[in-house]
Amino acid sequence: MSEKKQPGVLEGFKAFLMRGNVIDLAVAVVIGAAFTNIVNSVVKGIINPLVGAIGTKNLDSYSSCLKDPCAGTGDTATGIRIMWGSVLGATLSFVITAAVVYFLMVLPMSKFLARQAARQKAKEGAQEVIEVSELEVLKEIRDALVAQRGSGNSRH
């Protein structure tokens, strides 16, 4: 009985790395990391000051006391606190970041791609019209030649 040789761990790892989607994923992670700095700068430099003009910039200090006595801050705090301000701040930061990404990146890119697809479709439609009109002209020429042959044969 012959044994089939199983591929080695290194060959499997090499095959995994050579797949196209792994490279695409690596590029996406690097671009995403670089893009994170841009989004964070927009949020911290523009959006947070605008929100801070309406209310407070730091929501982390807001909390509710679940079990008294709630006194002190940090490591010296007593009692049981629910830090709902930090949850609200993280949620607002997420929503603001998602809005910045959507309105500054996703929406313009989708409009650009839609315009590009429409141009491509119009170009393909124009090409079909040209091909159809050429075909029609060739049919007319054929019909004219057949008609000439038909009338030429009746003369003889």
Side-chain angles (χ1 to χ4, degrees):
M1 204 166 153
S2 65
E3 288 184 32
K4 289 186 179 179
K5 188 176 179 183
Q6 295 290 334
V9 173
L10 290 177
E11 287 102 20
F13 184 65
K14 182 179 175 185
F16 170 74
L17 288 179
M18 291 300 145
R19 278 196 259 162
N21 55 357
V22 173
I23 303 298
D24 292 342
L25 181 61
V27 169
V29 167
V30 170
I31 297 282
F35 185 69
T36 299
N37 291 333
I38 295 171
V39 172
N40 287 340
S41 296
V42 169
V43 170
K44 288 179 184 173
I46 297 171
I47 305 297
N48 282 352
L50 291 174
V51 171
I54 298 168
T56 181
K57 288 185 191 178
N58 187 7
L59 297 173
D60 292 341
S61 61
Y62 292 108
S63 64
S64 296
C65 188
L66 191 60
K67 183 177 179 186
D68 286 330
C70 288
T73 59
D75 292 337
T76 62
T78 59
I80 299 175
R81 292 179 188 236
I82 296 177
M83 305 298 288
W84 59 268
S86 60
V87 174
L88 181 62
T91 303
L92 282 174
S93 180
F94 170 76
V95 169
I96 291 168
T97 303
V100 167
V101 168
Y102 180 75
F103 289 112
L104 294 183
M105 296 303 294
V106 174
L107 190 61
M109 183 59 79
S110 65
K111 285 184 179 182
F112 172 75
L113 292 175
R115 270 189 263 128
Q116 204 171 29
R119 283 185 197 143
Q120 184 66 24
K121 191 173 182 180
K123 191 176 182 181
E124 289 173 1
Q127 186 66 25
E128 282 183 20
V129 168
I130 290 171
E131 289 174 7
V132 168
S133 60
E134 286 177 3
L135 185 61
E136 291 298 323
V137 168
L138 289 173
K139 284 181 182 178
E140 289 175 9
I141 292 171
R142 180 198 64 199
D143 294 342
L145 288 172
V146 168
Q148 277 182 346
R149 280 191 201 151
S151 64
N153 287 339
S154 63
R155 285 190 227 168
H156 292 280

